[in-house]
Amino acid sequence: MEVSSRTRNMLEGLVREGSFKWLLGSRSSFDDEFEEMERSPSAGRNWIQELSPLANIVVRRCSKILGISSSELQESFNAEASEAIKHPSRYARNFLEYCCFRTLALSTQVTGHLADKKFRRLTYDVMLAWEVPAASSQPLLNVDGDATVGMEAFSRIAPAVPIIANVVISENLFEVLTLSTGGRLQYSIFNKYITGLERAIKKMKTQSESSILSAIRSSRGEKILEVDGTVTTQPVLEHVGISTWPGRLTLTDHALYFEAHRVVSYEKAKIYDLAEDLKQVVKPELTGPWGTRLFDKAVFYKSVSLSEPIILEFPELKGHTRRDYWLAIIREILYAHRFINKFQITGVQRDEVLSKAVLGILRLQAIQEISTANSVRCESLLMFNLCDQLPGGDLILETLANMSNLRELERTNKSVGGVGMYSISAMAMVSNLGFVFGPSSSNNSIEAGAGLVVGEIAVGEMSPLERTVKESRNSYKKVVQAQETVDGVKVDGIDTNLAVMKELLLPAMEVGRWLLSLAYWDDPLKSSVFCLVFTFIICRGWLGYALALLLIFFAIFMVLTRFLNQGKPVDEVKVIAPPPMNTMEQLLAVQNAISQAEQLIQDGNIFLLKLRGLLLTIFPQASDKFAVGLLLTALILIFVPSKYIVLLMFLEIFTRYSPTRRASTERWMRRLREWWFSIPAAPVILERENEERKKK
């Protein structure tokens, strides 16, 4: 009774003080719920002392939905949770997550739950309470007095409802939703986003239940994810060779279909499979009239099942938003099936993977509907696209596969305990929305799927997936910072880039000049010492140790440089910029560079043709000498130890211009050049492609 009285007095005090006006600035539903709690005879028993007032209200809502009291929820949590999760410093937030996961998992089983304003408000308020869960927490005030949600709370709670977000893309989604609100999510924007999701789901249901490609789709139970090209103002053009056809483009969870327009109907659909491993290549492409590459508005598709690649063009007046959207969703389905094939995922877990891809496309459609910015990167909101781009994305996919295998084992053994400790799975979410993917899903009830396939988030714990995603994002931030420095040092102009390269290669060029001076014996004493030292190293078999010592020297140099330059600005590379060139000088420089490149290519071709002539004995005398030389080389390689071969090569290179050998070297080099120039090149015949073949 004493505890109940103390709790009632505290509730009355909080109501009198208007403690919940910080949430909405005026009287809100929180005030009404707070007064209702104060009038309730069980207020003291259901008031959780460890929770903040806001968290207590949210837990009370959860208890009403679950049909049990707050105290019974707490007892259930204490029985299921481990001691680490129940640690006093984390108790409030973990208990709130437990109530949230159980309630949201139950609420999502209700048909049309996304349209329910109470469900939307509860999901948002759980995020608010997550930021101030404990009784000692200080409320977060915004500048305008409205309660808003931060990224950490959104990334933790939103993936508990897989249609709203998932662990991999939650931060990117939050950034898109808060572009206009300074990094804090307002309820009005969250409400618009959920409305967009509801419309996207209805659109997908309508399309999947329509007669579009129904005969083809029925064999694999394919669901239509997107259709385009049905409006004359927004056509889709298919380019195959020199032929172009407008038509209707349809994407399902297994393939891409294109139906060319007839007068009043469509031709038979062309199928471009995305589920089988056909070495598909999907990338952006340029198109234009008569084969020119002018407009960046197309998607290139190639596979081993096609005799030639196809190009799908999405014409629009400004930009290439349509193309980017279709490129992203096509790749999402393709990458999802690649993931399935790579890790040999089957059964229920295969349907779970497809569910993740489908939910990602639904989220992207919702964002496109509510977002006015054209700068939204579609691939950043799709999980498999993002894993393909993030550093360590392959590790994220491996973690997903390992989690799938573990869940499959638990499902087989029926050993998943404490389902309330996990969020709902993507497959259960899709099933609750009324979609069924594949035969494995249709053979299992919704309850079985929901009860045995758990989600990606666990109460009070950072799952392996969350840990891998966090590491990947940290690596990505480093990549972005490094790329900013790369973009900052890029310069324009061939002459300027050559000047920068020359300055960067200056140390290597100096080492090269020093080695050349030793090889040409400009200073006989230094060259003699160099030859003696390296001859001794090679004879003793210390060449590997010498290379290792060189690498150790570089490592010590880097460490010393790091410690000595701590706190000092980085030394910039100073390059003397070449004088600016006018247009004519630039054209002449380009022409000169092309001429030099052509001369190099010609010299390379002549070398290859002469080598062909030697091998085919077009000039027998030269070929005989060449064959004898190859035979002697082979005998040396067979009978002489490799150590002595290296020694002979070193002495040959570094003593050929010594005072005692210079004259003989020049004589032998002259004879070698004369022999090379005397070798005729193999004949070449240039055949022009005839017109008939060109037309084909």
Side-chain angles (χ1 to χ4, degrees):
M1 292 296 294
E2 183 181 353
V3 174
S4 175
S5 176
R6 188 165 61 249
T7 302
R8 186 180 297 275
N9 293 336
M10 182 176 66
L11 290 171
E12 291 175 352
L14 288 171
V15 171
R16 284 196 303 270
E17 294 171 7
S19 297
F20 288 95
K21 290 183 180 179
W22 64 271
L23 284 168
L24 299 174
S26 60
R27 185 173 181 83
S28 67
S29 60
F30 286 102
D31 297 317
D32 297 334
E33 290 183 67
F34 214 75
E35 290 180 1
E36 184 182 343
M37 285 184 68
E38 188 268 333
R39 291 192 298 268
S40 174
S42 60
R45 186 172 66 255
N46 289 325
W47 181 268
I48 310 299
Q49 298 293 334
E50 293 86 356
L51 301 184
S52 65
L54 176 57
N56 266 290
I57 287 183
V58 170
V59 169
R60 184 171 181 267
R61 286 191 207 167
C62 293
S63 69
K64 284 185 176 181
I65 295 172
L66 295 172
I68 56 178
S69 65
S70 300
S71 57
E72 289 174 332
L73 265 177
Q74 188 176 21
E75 291 174 3
S76 178
F77 172 73
N78 292 336
E80 291 186 34
S82 64
E83 292 301 322
I85 293 177
K86 292 186 292 185
H87 191 275
S89 62
R90 305 163 56 196
Y91 186 90
R93 179 164 287 167
N94 292 345
F95 176 61
L96 182 66
E97 288 182 3
Y98 174 80
C99 299
C100 159
F101 291 170
R102 287 191 59 175
T103 306
L104 294 178
L106 181 63
S107 300
T108 52
Q109 295 183 19
V110 179
T111 303
H113 59 272
L114 287 178
D116 186 0
K117 293 183 179 179
K118 291 183 179 179
F119 172 80
R120 299 183 185 185
R121 190 74 234 187
L122 174 65
T123 307
Y124 186 82
D125 290 344
V126 168
M127 300 179 200
L128 289 175
W130 191 90
E131 292 189 321
V132 284
S136 58
S137 302
Q138 293 297 322
L140 300 176
L141 297 177
N142 208 342
V143 177
D144 56 3
D146 292 332
T148 56
V149 171
M151 178 181 287
E152 191 177 359
F154 180 85
S155 299
R156 185 63 182 170
I157 300 301
V161 184
I163 183 62
I164 298 178
N166 71 25
V167 170
V168 180
I169 60 93
S170 57
E171 290 190 13
N172 292 343
L173 178 61
F174 181 84
E175 290 173 0
V176 172
L177 291 174
T178 58
L179 279 175
S180 59
T181 55
R184 300 286 296 182
L185 179 62
Q186 298 177 353
Y187 178 73
S188 58
I189 295 176
F190 179 76
N191 191 45
K192 286 181 182 178
Y193 171 59
I194 301 299
T195 302
L197 283 174
E198 187 185 4
R199 291 174 182 167
I201 292 166
K202 288 180 180 178
K203 173 187 169 185
M204 186 176 292
K205 280 185 178 180
T206 303
Q207 290 175 342
S208 296
E209 294 169 359
S210 68
S211 60
I212 299 175
L213 303 170
S214 57
I216 302 175
R217 295 189 289 116
S218 60
S219 61
R220 292 191 291 190
E222 299 178 38
K223 302 299 179 184
I224 293 179
L225 306 181
E226 188 61 278
V227 179
D228 203 350
T230 56
V231 182
T232 55
T233 56
Q234 290 187 327
V236 176
L237 306 177
E238 183 190 54
H239 301 272
V240 182
I242 60 173
S243 302
T244 302
W245 297 96
R248 179 172 67 186
L249 185 65
T250 305
L251 176 68
T252 72
D253 54 330
H254 283 76
L256 194 64
Y257 299 90
F258 183 81
E259 303 164 274
H261 277 300
R262 284 182 177 175
V263 179
V264 292
S265 62
Y266 296 96
E267 292 184 0
K268 183 180 179 181
K270 297 178 182 178
I271 304 175
Y272 305 118
D273 201 284
L274 301 174
E276 300 298 327
D277 185 10
L278 301 175
K279 310 299 181 187
Q280 296 96 332
V281 176
V282 179
K283 63 180 181 179
E285 185 59 286
L286 300 175
T287 58
W290 302 291
T292 56
R293 294 167 55 83
L294 299 175
F295 307 115
D296 186 16
K297 300 176 187 293
V299 173
F300 174 95
Y301 177 91
K302 179 183 178 182
S303 73
V304 295
S305 63
L306 297 178
S307 57
E308 58 181 323
I310 61 112
I311 296 174
L312 299 169
E313 184 181 358
F314 302 87
E316 54 187 326
L317 292 177
K318 293 176 63 179
H320 39 77
T321 307
R322 282 178 70 208
R323 191 282 308 278
D324 292 345
Y325 167 69
W326 270 95
L327 177 65
I329 62 176
I330 292 171
R331 280 179 167 175
E332 185 70 1
I333 299 300
L334 176 62
Y335 293 160
H337 283 285
R338 281 185 181 173
F339 171 71
I340 290 170
N341 295 331
K342 179 180 179 181
F343 293 99
Q344 299 179 352
I345 299 174
T346 57
V348 175
Q349 297 306 327
R350 181 182 184 278
D351 301 333
E352 172 83 1
V353 173
L354 287 179
S355 300
K356 292 178 188 293
V358 171
L359 292 178
I361 293 174
L362 288 171
R363 285 191 291 267
L364 178 58
Q365 292 171 350
I367 287 294
Q368 285 199 320
E369 183 177 335
I370 68 171
S371 177
T372 56
N374 294 326
S375 59
V376 176
R377 292 176 57 245
C378 298
E379 62 273 12
S380 67
L381 300 178
L382 298 172
M383 184 178 75
F384 293 102
N385 273 269
L386 190 59
C387 288
D388 186 64
Q389 296 179 356
L390 280 177
D394 57 326
L395 300 178
I396 296 176
L397 295 179
E398 286 181 14
T399 306
L400 274 173
N402 293 335
M403 291 173 67
S404 295
N405 294 333
L406 181 61
R407 291 170 189 168
E408 180 67 20
L409 182 63
E410 291 173 341
R411 189 181 73 87
T412 304
N413 298 332
K414 293 182 169 46
S415 60
V416 179
V419 175
M421 301 299 291
Y422 297 92
S423 61
I424 188 174
S425 69
M427 192 187 72
M429 184 80 250
V430 170
S431 299
N432 294 337
L433 293 174
F435 297 104
V436 177
F437 292 95
S440 58
S441 291
S442 59
N443 294 334
N444 295 285
S445 64
I446 294 175
E447 290 78 16
L452 293 174
V453 181
V454 296
E456 298 167 350
I457 303 178
V459 171
E461 297 177 356
M462 180 176 281
S463 67
L465 179 61
E466 290 178 285
R467 197 175 299 111
T468 307
V469 170
K470 185 177 180 181
E471 292 173 359
S472 179
R473 289 195 174 278
N474 292 336
S475 300
Y476 178 70
K477 291 175 183 177
K478 296 177 182 177
V479 171
V480 170
Q481 293 174 354
Q483 191 59 39
E484 289 175 355
T485 63
V486 170
D487 296 337
V489 298
K490 286 182 179 178
V491 294
D492 297 326
I494 297 175
D495 53 342
T496 308
N497 279 287
L498 286 174
V500 173
M501 182 178 289
K502 185 178 178 180
E503 186 66 29
L504 292 173
L505 292 177
L506 187 60
M509 292 168 63
E510 289 296 327
V511 172
R513 291 194 191 99
W514 177 68
L515 290 174
L516 282 176
S517 68
L518 292 175
Y520 281 96
W521 289 69
D522 295 336
D523 189 338
L525 179 60
K526 291 181 180 179
S527 298
S528 300
V529 172
F530 179 79
C531 283
L532 288 173
V533 170
F534 264 85
T535 300
F536 179 75
I537 290 173
I538 294 171
C539 288
R540 296 302 299 268
W542 292 351
L543 200 58
Y545 296 110
L547 181 61
L549 190 63
L550 183 64
L551 296 177
I552 292 171
F553 168 77
F554 281 122
I556 293 173
F557 172 79
M558 292 168 63
V559 172
L560 290 176
T561 303
R562 177 186 174 186
F563 282 105
L564 293 175
N565 292 342
Q566 264 186 339
K568 297 181 181 179
V570 179
D571 293 335
E572 297 176 343
V573 179
K574 295 181 180 179
V575 181
I576 299 176
M581 294 189 295
N582 56 35
T583 306
M584 183 58 68
E585 289 174 334
Q586 290 178 352
L587 291 174
L588 290 173
V590 171
Q591 184 182 12
N592 186 37
I594 293 173
S595 300
Q596 291 179 359
E598 183 182 6
Q599 185 63 43
L600 287 173
I601 294 171
Q602 286 178 348
D603 293 342
N605 288 337
I606 290 170
F607 173 81
L608 294 174
L609 289 171
K610 287 194 173 190
L611 187 60
R612 178 183 174 85
L614 285 172
L615 294 174
L616 299 179
T617 65
I618 295 175
F619 189 58
Q621 187 178 359
S623 297
D624 293 342
K625 293 180 180 179
F626 185 63
V628 171
L630 291 178
L631 182 61
L632 290 175
T633 304
L635 292 173
I636 292 172
L637 291 174
I638 292 172
F639 295 107
V640 179
S642 58
K643 179 173 67 173
Y644 297 110
I645 293 175
V646 173
L647 178 61
L648 289 173
M649 290 175 62
F650 172 76
L651 291 176
E652 164 59 25
I653 293 172
F654 275 93
T655 62
R656 63 173 56 170
Y657 290 104
S658 62
T660 56
R661 289 191 59 199
R662 183 181 293 271
S664 63
T665 298
E666 291 175 352
R667 185 169 60 254
W668 277 102
M669 292 299 293
R670 182 182 179 90
R671 296 293 173 267
L672 183 62
R673 283 196 301 270
E674 291 172 353
W675 173 78
W676 178 253
F677 291 144
S678 66
I679 300 171
V684 176
I685 298 176
L686 296 177
E687 293 183 353
R688 301 295 179 185
E689 188 178 14
N690 55 32
E691 292 298 324
E692 293 182 3
R693 189 177 174 187
K694 198 170 184 180
K695 287 180 181 178
K696 289 181 182 179

